Amino acid sequence: MFDYLIIGSGFAGSVIAERIANVLNEKVLIIEKRNHIGGNCFDYRDKNGIIIHKYGPHLFHTNNKKVFDYLSDFTDWNIYHHQVLAFIDGKKVPIPFNFNSIKQMFPETLANRLIEKLLKKYKYGSKVPILELKKENDTDLKFLADFIYEKVFKNYTAKQWNKKPEEIDPEVTARVPVFIGTDNRYFNDKYQAIPTEGYTKIFENMLNHPNIKLMLNTDYKEVIDIDFENKKIYFFGQEFKGKLIFTGMIDELFNYKFGELPYRTLDLRFKTVGKEKFQEVATVNYPNNYDFTRITEFKHIHPVKTDKTTILYEYPKEYKKGDTPYYPVFTPENRQIYNKYREYAQDFESIILVGRLADYRYYDMDDIVEKALDVFEEKIK
Ligand SMILES: Cc1cc2nc3c(=O)[nH]c(=O)nc-3n(C[C@H](O)[C@H](O)[C@H](O)COP(=O)(O)OP(=O)(O)OC[C@H]3O[C@@H](n4cnc5c(N)ncnc54)[C@H](O)[C@@H]3O)c2cc1C
């Protein structure tokens, strides 16, 4: 009855389902264990009419026109430029740390000297990873690097990953740069926007096709059996001859044959506050104080007039089987385990792996949309 089975209805699964239905005009069933579509990008309106991102704040930003145009078929956008402040020594300063943060943090003469030296060394408008700045020999720049490292980076990283920054893959640490300039925006991409009616509406529009059927509240293991020895897939006991597109955890798919892949999870605590606005911008980071990493106020992202506001505290914690696997933990050992799974997966021609859990990668939304479009073109079409 179905030509394709897709596990997971996040961007990876939904983009591929949409392409199969619209481009190939073939039939697809999406199996999703949660009670909603959209994966970690799912949002909803709470009782105060505020759009909430259930799995943490999601800000769309990309330089990829193809991805932006593709998604624009399923949503209108509100222009939105995300800003983040960090609470440091009693002050809230822009993040990434930039010239405005330097001026707010240090006495005028020192601040001017630091800015002058940064400008001599780095291109205006560039981003310098903090671990690179830390290698500087100049006393002033070394002082700045150590300050940012200690006050902005180290404790935040410890809370987020339970590791020292050096123990984390540079792919992750590069995400926390120093910005050479005065742009207070968190991202500098060409396209920065929020879907007018939220992310869930994008998924509803993508999946609204007679060729696409959806099975919610269903772990794939309830309906699919994989005979690993003979490389056969069974769906409700019948051999399934089509393709299985898997966007869940690669270690789970192969019964943890090579061991568990570690993740970090989050304890997300939402709170309604009885005032119109709670903080200056959407997100304020707390690197050194408290046990949470940041507070996000959703009204800044989706403006709405109400006398209440909803905020979210994020507490990172160790992942245990059954928790939501938010962030893969990149270490050489974990990559090795992942590579074993990936190699093993090559023996299964009818299984296509795609998505942040199947690829054990940190993908932004634009990355995964691009990846899913590529997988469709290269492996399915
Ligand atoms: C806290 C947080 C904040 C983020 N913020 C941003 C941001 O600001 N900007 C940005 O661009 N990106 C952001 N991202 C990244 C974004 O969430 C991902 O790029 C995107 O969700 C990846 O889509 P996916 O389809 O690969 O995975 P997911 O969205 O995780 O979808 C996978 C789906 O598979 C389902 N599934 C898993 N196992 C099974 C099973 N056994 N049976 C059935 N179904 C199963 C899951 O329930 C889920 O719905 C953020 C991520 C996190 C965790």
Side-chain angles (χ1 to χ4, degrees), residues 308-339:
K308 292 191 180 126
T309 189
T310 306
I311 56 172
L312 165 65
Y313 296 84
E314 291 178 46
Y315 295 83
K317 59 175 194 178
E318 205 180 308
Y319 166 86
K320 286 189 219 73
K321 239 189 215 173
D323 290 339
T324 306
Y326 281 110
Y327 301 106
V329 181
F330 300 110
T331 61
E333 305 86 75
N334 300 345
R335 283 215 194 268
Q336 257 179 20
I337 303 177
Y338 167 73
N339 288 340

Side-chain angles (χ1 to χ4, degrees), residues 8 11-12 32-33 39-40 57-59 220 326-327 356 363 365:
F11 266 124
E32 168 57 61
K33 72 176 173 188
N40 280 351
H58 277 69
L59 297 316
Y220 79 92
Y326 281 110
Y327 301 106
R356 62 180 196 98
Y363 286 131
M365 291 181 278

Side-chain angles (χ1 to χ4, degrees), residues 38-54:
N40 280 351
C41 304
F42 174 76
D43 55 16
Y44 65 97
R45 251 177 226 284
D46 73 1
K47 59 181 188 312
N48 300 310
I50 300 166
I51 293 184
I52 302 299
H53 300 173
K54 181 169 180 179

Side-chain angles (χ1 to χ4, degrees), residues 280-315:
E280 302 82 340
V281 294
T283 300
V284 178
N285 288 358
Y286 289 83
N288 309 308
N289 302 87
Y290 315 110
D291 295 331
F292 50 84
T293 46
R294 56 182 184 176
I295 301 178
T296 295
E297 184 177 15
F298 289 98
K299 253 188 174 179
H300 290 276
I301 302 171
H302 300 278
V304 54
K305 255 203 132 6
T306 54
D307 54 4
K308 292 191 180 126
T309 189
T310 306
I311 56 172
L312 165 65
Y313 296 84
E314 291 178 46
Y315 295 83

Side-chain angles (χ1 to χ4, degrees), residues 43 51 58 60 75-78 193-199 202 302:
D43 55 16
I51 293 184
H58 277 69
F60 185 80
T75 184
D76 289 331
W77 301 95
N78 292 340
I194 284 291
T196 305
E197 294 176 72
Y199 291 98
I202 298 187
H302 300 278

Side-chain angles (χ1 to χ4, degrees), residues 6-15 30-42 53 55-62 82 160 175 186-187 199 203 215 217-222 246-249 252-253 264 266 268 294 312 314 324-328 354-359 361-369 372:
I6 298 184
I7 314 304
S9 64
F11 266 124
S14 297
V15 167
I30 302 182
I31 299 162
E32 168 57 61
K33 72 176 173 188
R34 289 172 173 165
N35 64 359
H36 59 72
I37 55 174
N40 280 351
C41 304
F42 174 76
H53 300 173
Y55 302 97
H58 277 69
L59 297 316
F60 185 80
H61 59 100
T62 191
H82 193 52
Q160 179 82 354
R175 296 174 82 92
Y186 194 64
F187 306 110
Y199 291 98
F203 293 94
M215 204 182 237
N217 295 311
T218 311
D219 192 303
Y220 79 92
K221 294 187 286 306
E222 294 172 56
F246 185 81
T247 78
M249 292 159 70
E252 181 187 18
L253 175 67
R264 289 290 281 172
L266 293 169
L268 299 173
R294 56 182 184 176
L312 165 65
E314 291 178 46
T324 306
Y326 281 110
Y327 301 106
V354 56
R356 62 180 196 98
L357 299 167
D359 289 347
R361 283 281 302 273
Y362 187 93
Y363 286 131
D364 271 335
M365 291 181 278
D366 60 331
D367 300 324
I368 192 56
V369 171

Side-chain angles (χ1 to χ4, degrees), residues 171-210:
E171 195 180 307
V172 176
T173 50
R175 296 174 82 92
V176 192
V178 177
F179 183 72
I180 309 298
T182 54
D183 188 344
N184 283 342
R185 293 172 307 163
Y186 194 64
F187 306 110
N188 310 106
D189 302 59
K190 179 163 178 182
Y191 305 100
Q192 302 186 40
I194 284 291
T196 305
E197 294 176 72
Y199 291 98
T200 302
K201 198 75 195 164
I202 298 187
F203 293 94
E204 284 171 10
N205 290 338
M206 271 184 179
L207 302 182
N208 182 14
H209 192 289

